[in-house]
Amino acid sequence: MFTPGSRQGFTLIEVIAVFLIFGLLVGGIFAIFTYSSAGFRQAIAQQGLSGELEAVQRRLTYDFRASHYHTVAIVPRTKTLEDGTDVSRTAFSFTTLSDWYDPDRFHPTGQPRWDRQLVYYPTTQESGRLIRQLIDATGLNVPRPYPALSTNISELPNSNSDVLQTTTLSENVLSLEVAQDDSRQLLDITLRLRTRGGQEAGSMRKIDETREAVFSLDALNTYPRL
């Protein structure tokens, strides 16, 4: 029953206050969701780069273990990025064998009759591709560096000569540095991968995710050993 002192409904100020509080709640929830989504994407990007680095390191370690240290060839190359930074995009190669289970692939002394070269090189786009190519070097027989490395590392891998197999190991290469440590007969590798334009968690700022791996490779078929 209506009485003169009773109220029905809400005043305009109360309605505005309710909408304001509701808007603040929705905005807070949206901000938390946005922050969480950006953080999740950032974590995924970091995890992806770390996985790529580990895969490349495993592949290189496996390939080089069966090789001979003194067959390493290195071609230093530099790429100038869009921001003016110079980074290393070194190419390198080392010898290997076509069939490790074929007795005819070995000398009577037990040393391999080397007949293949493995070439690793990053292309020189802003985000380089890491190329692995198996090269036919039939007739090599003795362990020596690949003489055609500097001329057989095209930006179009399919145009290289004597290629038996091509694999792209990464499409996110920022830099690749390779150095020989003759005192220890090791090959020292520094590889950096980068994904571009990710969103920083908690802001709208675009950032690049970068991961680096530093490791050494040992060729177990090196003879004589130090």
Side-chain angles (χ1 to χ4, degrees), residues 42 45-46 49 81-83 126-127 174 193-200 205-211:
Q42 190 173 345
Q46 293 171 352
L49 287 181
L81 302 178
E82 293 173 353
D83 63 4
E126 185 75 7
S127 293
L174 177 60
L193 303 183
R194 177 184 67 177
T195 55
R196 308 193 65 195
Q199 183 175 320
E200 183 180 27
R205 187 167 68 93
K206 297 295 183 180
I207 60 171
D208 296 337
E209 290 294 338
T210 304
R211 285 291 180 272

Side-chain angles (χ1 to χ4, degrees), residues 45-61:
Q46 293 171 352
Q47 187 176 29
L49 287 181
S50 297
E52 280 190 33
L53 280 173
E54 291 175 4
V56 171
Q57 183 173 349
R58 285 196 301 269
R59 178 79 263 181
L60 267 171
T61 300

Side-chain angles (χ1 to χ4, degrees), residues 73-84:
I74 297 177
V75 176
R77 303 191 303 166
T78 301
K79 163 70 177 178
T80 301
L81 302 178
E82 293 173 353
D83 63 4

Side-chain angles (χ1 to χ4, degrees), residues 34-113:
T34 302
Y35 181 86
S36 299
S37 298
F40 179 75
R41 288 193 298 269
Q42 190 173 345
I44 291 296
Q46 293 171 352
Q47 187 176 29
L49 287 181
S50 297
E52 280 190 33
L53 280 173
E54 291 175 4
V56 171
Q57 183 173 349
R58 285 196 301 269
R59 178 79 263 181
L60 267 171
T61 300
Y62 178 84
D63 284 345
F64 197 68
R65 280 173 65 87
S67 189
H68 191 300
Y69 175 77
H70 297 295
T71 67
V72 173
I74 297 177
V75 176
R77 303 191 303 166
T78 301
K79 163 70 177 178
T80 301
L81 302 178
E82 293 173 353
D83 63 4
T85 304
D86 290 334
V87 294
S88 174
R89 293 283 177 89
T90 299
F92 66 106
S93 66
F94 47 87
T95 194
T96 189
L97 202 60
S98 57
D99 187 351
W100 290 95
Y101 299 99
D102 182 357
D104 293 336
R105 295 294 89 209
F106 293 85
H107 294 285
T109 60
Q111 296 299 309
R113 299 180 187 272

